[in-house]
Amino acid sequence: MSNRRRRALSAILAALTTVTGAVLAAPPAQAATAPEAPDFPAAFAYSQFVDPNATPPGANDWTCRPGADHPRAVVLVHGTWENRYDNFARLSPSLKRDGYCVFALNYGEDPTSVFGLNPAFKGTGDIRRSAQELAAFVDRLTAATGTSEVDVVGHSQGGLMPREYLRHGGAAKVHTLVTLGATHHGTTLSGIATLAGELGLLPYTDVLLGKAAGQQVRGSEFLTDLNAGGDTVPGVRYLVIATRYDEVTTPYESTFLTGEAVRNVTLQDGCEIDLSDHLSMSYSPRAIGYVKQGLDPAAPEPPCVPHLPVF
């Protein structure tokens, strides 16, 4: 290589080093108001490349006070490797427009796993500890709004983890739990988790995927303990929303709960054109309609419109 080319290459490398260092040193870009997203891929891209800690539009107005029509604030709880924005960038503003006080938290951040190193991938830590984070958030919320109860809406782990909270004091503060594709009875992850168990790979789940992932595998110690006393606790209403095309919570029927005050629904019952999978279901107009009906039984029947899966 000629000296001229060496000098040119050195200059390019030096420039790249300077730019890379500046990007790594700079804080994440912050948006004054995160936009409403039409689907999960758009919201995922925003949280990955713009702001991993974005708040979904309509959420976390700490001056909001529940009114007579909607007397309880709604707490949105994201799933594993998701965050409050990419999970709820459509549901949150829809609830806000209907007059709800909406709040959303990020929880379960744990950089000890490979997936946990990504700042946009939250919900990776121990589910028991995450339930304590939810408890603290609800305590802060009820104190701020002057109310005694909240409603909780959770996707995937975000539907399962609140049940741990309910069993350890949360039942007194939660009126209704609405879940979407929740891993209530564990998952085979379309057979992947079952195969990993047979191959002896599950002990490495914590390091690779985060402790919460292993806790949601069917037959885990955490799930055995959680479900030992039954699926529900007295005094709480439950709406469980499933999709036949769920490729994460498998089989999809494992999301259903048994007990008093439980309603289990499947998006495709009476609406075959809703093709929502695990990631897209929180953006489904039909699922959003069911969420609203779970929060308010007088809400209109959910619409039946086409909705596509992410995968």
Side-chain angles (χ1 to χ4, degrees):
M1 182 183 296
S2 68
N3 289 335
R4 183 176 181 181
R5 288 183 177 178
R6 287 195 184 94
R7 287 194 297 271
L9 180 58
S10 296
I12 292 172
L13 290 174
L16 287 174
T17 300
T18 300
V19 171
T20 302
V23 170
L24 292 175
Q30 300 290 325
T33 302
E36 181 172 349
D39 51 41
F40 180 82
F44 178 80
Y46 186 91
S47 66
Q48 286 289 326
F49 302 113
V50 180
D51 186 357
N53 296 303
T55 300
N60 294 5
D61 174 6
W62 292 91
T63 66
C64 188
R65 298 293 179 267
D69 291 341
H70 304 303
R72 294 173 299 277
V74 179
V75 180
L76 304 179
V77 188
H78 64 77
T80 311
W81 311 327
E82 296 178 296
N83 57 65
R84 62 188 174 190
Y85 178 78
D86 64 21
N87 218 157
F88 300 118
R90 187 174 190 182
L91 175 58
S92 175
S94 182
L95 291 174
K96 183 67 173 180
R97 284 192 290 269
D98 281 5
Y100 287 92
C101 290
V102 185
F103 295 83
L105 75 159
N106 284 326
Y107 70 89
E109 296 187 58
D110 183 6
T112 62
S113 68
V114 174
F115 271 45
L117 292 173
N118 185 322
F121 286 174
K122 306 181 192 298
T124 60
D126 188 326
I127 295 176
R128 293 184 176 94
R129 188 174 69 244
S130 294
Q132 295 171 4
E133 294 181 48
L134 176 60
F137 189 84
V138 171
D139 287 348
R140 178 189 174 196
L141 175 54
T142 52
T145 58
T147 56
S148 60
E149 289 185 313
V150 299
D151 291 330
V152 177
V153 178
H155 175 249
S156 196
Q157 183 197 157
L160 169 71
M161 179 268 280
R163 290 182 52 222
E164 173 73 7
Y165 166 55
L166 294 180
R167 290 196 177 281
H168 295 88
K173 292 194 172 185
V174 176
H175 181 274
T176 299
L177 173 62
V178 180
T179 71
L180 302 99
T183 49
H184 291 307
H185 296 104
T187 177
T188 68
L189 200 60
S190 297
I192 296 174
T194 302
L195 177 61
E198 292 175 352
L199 295 176
L201 299 177
L202 287 181
Y204 305 102
T205 302
D206 291 4
V207 175
L208 295 174
L209 306 178
K211 189 173 182 64
Q215 289 175 315
Q216 293 171 86
V217 173
R218 176 170 286 191
S220 73
E221 176 272 333
F222 171 79
L223 287 171
T224 300
D225 180 63
L226 176 66
N227 293 322
D231 292 350
T232 63
V233 296
V236 179
R237 295 172 56 246
Y238 299 81
L239 172 63
V240 180
I241 304 169
T243 175
R244 289 182 202 159
Y245 304 109
D246 199 320
E247 68 280 74
V248 174
T249 300
T250 57
Y252 80 88
E253 297 95 339
S254 66
T255 195
F256 293 141
L257 295 176
T258 301
E260 296 183 5
V262 173
R263 180 188 179 195
N264 295 310
V265 300
T266 302
L267 292 179
Q268 290 75 31
D269 286 351
C271 187
E272 296 294 339
I273 58 176
D274 189 320
L275 304 178
S276 301
D277 64 357
H278 189 77
L279 289 176
S280 73
M281 69 184 303
S282 63
Y283 286 80
S284 159
R286 187 168 180 80
I288 291 174
Y290 272 125
V291 168
K292 293 179 179 180
Q293 202 171 67
L295 299 174
D296 179 3
E301 280 299 305
C304 178
V305 295
H307 190 68
L308 297 176
V310 172
F311 298 108

